[in-house]
Amino acid sequence: MNEAETCRTMVRPRLEAAGWLAVGDRFYREQTHVTAGRVILAGSTAKRLQKKIPDYLLYFRREMPLAVVEAKSNAKPAANGLQQAKEYAKLLDLKFAYATNGTEIIEFDAFTQNETVVSAFPTPEQLLQRYQVGMGFSSAVRDAQLVPDFYREDKQPRYYQRIAIDTTIRAIVGGKKRCLLTLATGTGKTTVAFQICWKLWCAKWNASGDPTRKPRILFLADRDKLVSDPMSKDFAPFGHARHRISGKAEKGREMYFALYQALSGDENRAGLFREYPTDYFDLIVIDECHRGSAKDESRWRDILTYFSPAYQLGMTATPLRDDNRDSYAYFGNPLYTYSLKQGIEDGFLAPYRVHRVVTSFDAHGWRPNKGQKDKNGEPIPDRLYTTKDFERAVSVEARNKIVAKHISDFLRATDRKSKTIVFCVDQDHAEIMRGLLHDLNKDLAAEAQAKGSEYAARVVSDEGDIGKGYLDQFQDPEKEFPVVLTTSQLLTTGVDAPTCKNVVLFRMVNSMTEFKQIIGRGTRLREDHGKLFFNILDYNGSANVQFADADFDGEPALATKCEINEAGAVTVLEEFVDPVQNDGDDDRGRIIGGPEPGFRKFRVHGGAGGIVSSETSDLDADGKKLRTANLIAFTGEEVRGMAPNAAALRAAWANPAERDALLKALDAHGIDLQVLAAEAGQPDADPFDLLAHLAYNTPLRTRADRAAKLRASHAAFLAKYEAPARAVLDAILDKYAEHGIGQFDLATVLQVKPLSDWGTLTEIAARFGGADKLLAAVDRVQELLYVE
């Protein structure tokens, strides 16, 4: 039997005999998609790789998966599936893995590391007991973990969220007072926080151990959007138990929300938090805790210290760095980490294409003419101004105009209505860029205003409710406008904009923590809106610096290099050297966000300059290195890595089995032969010849040329077949010449005319003396096609 038949007739009955049913509390799920399939970029297209799909997952309850089962055909050894089962178990943080062929069952126990042949699957109760003993937790921990999630059909926890929720429940109920979760931006931290709070609330867990009351929980953040959105959306099931603290220390609720600023005090007022008893809250959840909440000198730290009897859960998107070390020192090592790189690899986060664009001002610097004055008539100090000075010490009008035009041209070449966030140096710079982008897109600005919005809007703290209104419109996937938001700091975190396709860096970002938060504005996927990846347009070199950091865990995907002169002519370059370098340690580890206190910004009218170079980069399919975004050049590199020369490639290509392996390897690296042929302008080329040409510069030949050469050079081979069999081979060759190598797949080609008119597979095989001889003949044709 094949694997599907083995599962249906042998594996399922054995699972059900042990008490694992298709429905009910103790159940199994078959063919569950635990990842979404990594998105990879191939030239101008994006595609998904294969999802990870275990054959069976065994659940004690919906909230508690316990084991994975991998099944193989009963004609194969059960051990063939053991390694795959163990890999799935490791990914899903499961302690038991099983491999079976329907007859034999092999168990792997991660607690003991034993691999054992067993006579039957354990019952759900047996496996739960072994799990509890192996984990070493109490019945109270077990019971809290078994409390049902709040069920949402459209928002069931993904595998990594399940791990984060369960790990945190075990830690808190087990007595750990300070906990930390590190989950990349866009992976659903709020969903995780909600389910943790919900389960503890339903379990009537509290810090005092009183079994008669539910816990009082405080959700704490430093930005309004990080408080208002969770309260009104994810945490809505708490109903009237919710309360937002603002201006008055109201009591009598159970799920509280607050801004740090609303609770903390200053030299003029005592903190509102002091109006609550120190032991009032049982659990405090601190969102985006990396932003200084745990620093010794922070007023936020005063709040956490005051409520020290409470359990405290910090949540962050950034792994340990120098600029967030205080948070890790306070909360301890993360209970669980789900990184940007893992999110992209699993296909839950969008990969990104990085465009490094250098203006002449950034490449060479800018120096004022002797005695030159700014727009206000103030003399400009005579020195060379470089990237780190622009919009801090000096604002050069021409540089801003060049970048605004480049952004507009980029959108015209891709999608003028693709949502875009432009990160600027300060609020003033954000207004300058908003105005320039508006002026360059007046047709869309008029369309936006007719619909009650703007094409480009500034969202900064000074804009208040007006800016928030534009932000709400920007976040709505169903609204076209505004297309562009300009900002400085306000949108670095707490903004869920799933359709944002372009993130523009027009300021230096030397903090890895903030850099990850910024690019996190684009990592959310929305396939229903055509978003499978996003672009980073980097005008200051911040992306290049951060991607070069050895600790960065989600580098970009590729690199076409070109130079663009002021007339717009494009020349391909052999190499690209980033002219913007960090020239000292004084700026490293902090955000360059605006002028130094007391230092005025000189505003320079006019000026001449342009774009001097542009580099585009993607992350390769392995997620480990940069590769060129040029599909043609990238394909040549990949093919040379698979075969040392054209002769080796030809030998592998002529063998159907080896060719299939090559095609799968190309597909796994995002190389689609039809897309490649189209981008190379060679739709009629034989795919082998196209690959060999791109890799080794061999001559190109069309499929029709190869078919004709075979008929002429190997006529004796074809002549040995009787006319009916010869007609079949001729028809397959004609199909190959017209459509490509896929026509050698007999299951496909025999279903189309004229071959479909000649009968069934059995009837056509009879022309050759049987199916084996038909297959041998077709394999030989493929070998002869590539004989030189």
Side-chain angles (χ1 to χ4, degrees):
M1 290 185 286
N2 61 29
E3 185 174 309
E5 292 170 331
T6 301
C7 287
R8 184 177 64 256
T9 63
M10 301 180 71
V11 179
R12 287 183 198 165
R14 300 197 69 175
L15 286 170
E16 291 169 3
W20 304 97
L21 305 179
V23 294
D25 283 343
R26 284 70 162 152
F27 65 96
Y28 63 81
R29 281 183 181 157
E30 194 169 5
Q31 297 292 305
T32 301
H33 296 184
V34 297
T35 67
R38 181 191 175 103
V39 177
I40 55 173
L41 305 180
S44 58
T45 65
K47 61 179 293 185
R48 282 195 182 274
L49 298 181
Q50 188 173 359
K51 301 175 181 178
K52 293 182 179 179
I53 309 174
D55 288 329
Y56 296 93
L57 291 176
L58 307 185
Y59 292 79
F60 188 82
R61 285 188 186 168
R62 187 178 62 233
E63 298 76 22
M64 185 176 279
L66 289 176
V68 62
V69 179
E70 276 299 295
K72 294 299 176 185
S73 163
N74 68 337
K76 297 180 179 179
N80 284 12
L82 185 58
Q83 188 57 44
Q84 183 68 70
K86 291 168 70 173
E87 289 176 4
Y88 280 135
K90 181 178 180 181
L91 175 72
L92 303 176
D93 196 31
L94 301 178
K95 305 306 179 184
F96 304 101
Y98 295 88
T100 182
N101 59 4
T103 302
E104 183 181 47
I105 302 172
I106 303 175
E107 177 189 81
F108 171 70
D109 182 334
F111 294 119
T112 64
Q113 293 295 305
N114 289 336
E115 297 177 4
T116 310
V117 175
V118 295
S119 59
F121 290 107
T123 68
E125 291 72 21
Q126 289 171 340
L127 209 56
L128 178 64
Q129 177 64 23
R130 290 172 58 189
Y131 175 69
Q132 181 179 343
V133 171
M135 293 293 291
F137 54 57
S138 66
S139 57
V141 172
R142 178 201 63 200
D143 292 344
Q145 190 171 333
L146 285 171
V147 169
D149 295 340
F150 183 85
Y151 183 74
R152 293 168 172 157
E153 180 64 35
D154 63 337
K155 210 169 187 179
Q156 297 183 55
R158 295 168 175 166
Y159 85 85
Y160 63 87
Q161 293 172 327
R162 174 86 275 143
I163 296 172
I165 294 165
D166 292 348
T167 303
T168 305
I169 292 292
R170 292 195 297 266
I172 290 175
V173 179
K176 186 173 175 58
K177 296 295 292 284
R178 294 179 184 175
C179 303
L180 180 66
L181 288 175
T182 302
L183 303 172
T185 301
T187 58
K189 291 192 298 296
T190 306
T191 295
V192 170
F194 163 71
Q195 293 291 3
I196 291 169
C197 294
W198 180 262
K199 288 168 75 77
L200 292 173
W201 189 66
C202 292
K204 292 188 176 180
W205 167 89
N206 54 70
S208 62
D210 182 352
T212 65
R213 72 171 179 88
K214 292 183 175 181
R216 291 184 289 267
I217 302 170
L218 173 62
F219 186 94
L220 199 57
D222 71 332
R223 299 192 181 179
D224 180 74
K225 205 74 175 172
L226 294 176
V227 171
S228 59
D229 274 5
M231 180 176 175
S232 64
K233 296 175 183 177
D234 285 81
F235 285 78
F238 279 94
H240 294 297
R242 293 170 297 164
H243 173 68
R244 179 163 179 172
I245 302 172
S246 180
K248 181 181 179 182
E250 183 174 330
K251 302 180 180 68
R253 305 293 183 93
E254 291 162 340
M255 188 68 237
Y256 293 81
F257 299 82
L259 287 170
Y260 287 108
Q261 297 89 324
L263 290 182
S264 65
D266 54 34
E267 60 273 9
N268 299 318
R269 62 186 178 91
L272 183 62
F273 68 91
R274 297 185 185 279
E275 297 184 23
Y276 290 94
T278 58
D279 61 352
Y280 185 77
F281 295 109
D282 300 286
L283 172 66
I284 300 177
V285 178
I286 305 98
D287 196 16
E288 306 293 357
C289 68
H290 61 273
R291 283 209 298 271
S293 61
K295 290 183 178 179
D296 289 335
E297 70 276 11
S298 169
R299 289 198 300 271
W300 300 355
R301 177 68 174 268
D302 291 342
I303 299 173
L304 299 183
T305 301
Y306 180 82
F307 291 120
S308 58
Y311 287 68
Q312 298 177 6
L313 170 62
M315 305 194 76
T316 182
T318 55
L320 175 64
R321 303 283 302 180
D322 286 340
D323 53 3
N324 66 0
R325 191 169 296 278
D326 289 309
S327 294
Y328 279 76
Y330 181 81
F331 290 103
N333 290 327
L335 299 175
Y336 179 66
T337 297
Y338 189 74
S339 68
L340 173 66
K341 180 178 179 180
Q342 187 66 46
I344 293 174
E345 182 177 315
D346 287 341
F348 294 125
L349 296 179
Y352 41 93
R353 176 164 284 170
V354 181
H355 308 264
R356 174 68 176 107
V357 184
V358 184
T359 73
S360 55
F361 295 97
D362 296 273
H364 311 301
W366 177 83
R367 185 172 184 176
N369 297 323
K370 185 176 181 180
Q372 183 173 351
K373 297 181 179 180
D374 73 355
K375 289 183 178 181
N376 298 316
E378 295 290 331
I380 304 171
D382 183 16
R383 68 178 180 87
L384 184 67
Y385 295 88
T386 60
T387 298
K388 65 186 180 65
D389 299 311
F390 295 131
E391 299 305 324
R392 301 179 70 235
V394 62
S395 176
V396 181
E397 182 181 62
R399 178 174 178 265
N400 290 327
K401 286 184 174 181
I402 289 166
V403 170
K405 183 177 185 303
H406 188 272
I407 293 170
S408 296
D409 290 344
F410 178 86
L411 293 177
R412 283 189 175 90
T414 52
D415 176 4
R416 290 189 73 192
K417 292 184 178 179
S418 59
K419 298 290 183 73
T420 302
I421 300 178
V422 183
F423 287 93
C424 304
V425 172
D426 55 22
Q427 297 191 37
D428 172 63
H429 189 212
E431 175 56 25
I432 291 172
M433 292 305 296
R434 183 211 63 78
L436 292 172
L437 290 165
H438 171 91
D439 291 344
L440 289 167
N441 297 275
K442 288 184 178 178
D443 57 332
L444 289 183
E447 181 183 342
Q449 288 171 3
K451 296 180 178 180
S453 187
E454 295 284 346
Y455 173 76
R458 184 178 74 151
V459 178
V460 296
S461 57
D462 284 356
E463 296 289 351
D465 291 340
I466 295 175
K468 290 178 183 177
Y470 287 129
L471 176 57
D472 289 340
Q473 294 176 21
F474 184 85
Q475 290 179 277
D476 188 342
E478 306 307 321
K479 292 185 184 288
E480 288 184 301
F481 299 105
V483 170
V484 178
L485 295 186
T486 63
T487 188
S488 55
Q489 299 279 354
L490 196 61
L491 302 184
T492 54
T493 60
V495 177
D496 183 4
T499 55
C500 178
K501 292 184 178 180
N502 305 298
V503 174
V504 178
L505 298 176
F506 199 19
R507 68 173 172 88
M508 295 295 290
V509 184
N510 283 351
S511 160
M512 176 67 80
T513 298
E514 193 191 22
F515 177 72
K516 285 193 171 184
Q517 294 289 334
I518 287 175
I519 65 172
R521 300 313 101 208
T523 53
R524 291 165 176 84
L525 283 156
R526 279 303 294 262
E527 291 185 64
D528 56 333
H529 285 262
K531 183 190 172 185
L532 281 169
F533 70 97
F534 70 102
N535 297 288
I536 299 174
L537 279 71
D538 177 17
Y539 295 95
N540 284 27
S542 296
N544 282 42
V545 171
Q546 302 300 349
F547 293 145
D549 191 309
D551 293 331
F552 186 72
D553 67 351
E555 51 188 61
L558 144 156
T560 51
K561 307 178 179 73
C562 63
E563 182 174 284
I564 308 173
N565 64 22
E566 293 181 40
V570 179
T571 305
V572 175
L573 301 176
E574 288 296 324
E575 294 183 1
F576 174 86
V577 179
D578 186 355
V580 181
Q581 301 290 338
N582 189 299
D583 60 353
D585 292 334
D586 55 290
D587 286 332
R588 187 163 295 280
R590 69 180 179 88
I591 301 163
I592 301 178
E596 298 291 345
F599 190 86
R600 65 161 295 141
K601 186 193 297 188
F602 296 97
R603 303 178 186 277
V604 181
H605 180 75
I611 302 294
V612 299
S613 66
S614 175
E615 175 190 57
T616 304
S617 303
D618 287 347
L619 188 64
D620 70 2
D622 294 328
K624 295 179 180 178
K625 63 181 180 180
L626 293 172
R627 66 167 173 87
T628 176
N630 185 306
L631 181 60
I632 293 171
F634 169 62
T635 300
E637 295 173 3
E638 291 299 308
V639 171
R640 286 190 293 273
M642 297 175 184
N645 51 51
L649 180 65
R650 182 181 296 107
W653 195 265
N655 182 296
E658 292 186 42
R659 182 175 66 238
D660 185 59
L662 278 171
L663 291 173
K664 287 181 178 178
L666 291 170
D667 184 68
H669 285 79
I671 300 172
D672 183 297
L673 293 180
Q674 289 185 327
V675 173
L676 178 65
E679 293 208 7
Q682 300 291 339
D684 298 324
D686 180 272
F688 162 76
D689 291 297
L690 180 58
L691 293 173
H693 174 72
L694 297 179
Y696 315 109
N697 201 31
T698 58
L700 271 172
R701 302 180 70 173
T702 67
R703 297 187 300 273
D705 289 340
R706 285 206 170 271
K709 181 175 179 293
L710 185 148
R711 286 185 169 109
S713 301
H714 301 285
F717 165 75
L718 296 172
K720 75 178 185 178
Y721 291 97
E722 298 291 336
R726 170 72 182 267
V728 172
L729 297 179
D730 279 334
I732 291 174
L733 276 173
D734 289 341
K735 291 293 182 184
Y736 153 77
E738 184 178 0
H739 300 293
I741 58 171
Q743 302 305 306
F744 290 115
D745 179 2
L746 291 176
T748 300
V749 76
L750 296 184
Q751 302 299 316
V752 298
K753 291 180 179 296
L755 291 104
S756 60
D757 295 334
W758 298 343
T760 64
L761 172 60
T762 302
E763 291 171 326
I764 292 175
R767 298 185 178 200
F768 292 81
D772 289 346
K773 292 182 179 180
L774 167 62
L775 291 171
V778 174
D779 284 351
R780 182 58 178 160
V781 166
Q782 295 177 73
E783 292 173 6
L784 294 176
L785 268 177
Y786 300 102
V787 170
E788 294 297 328

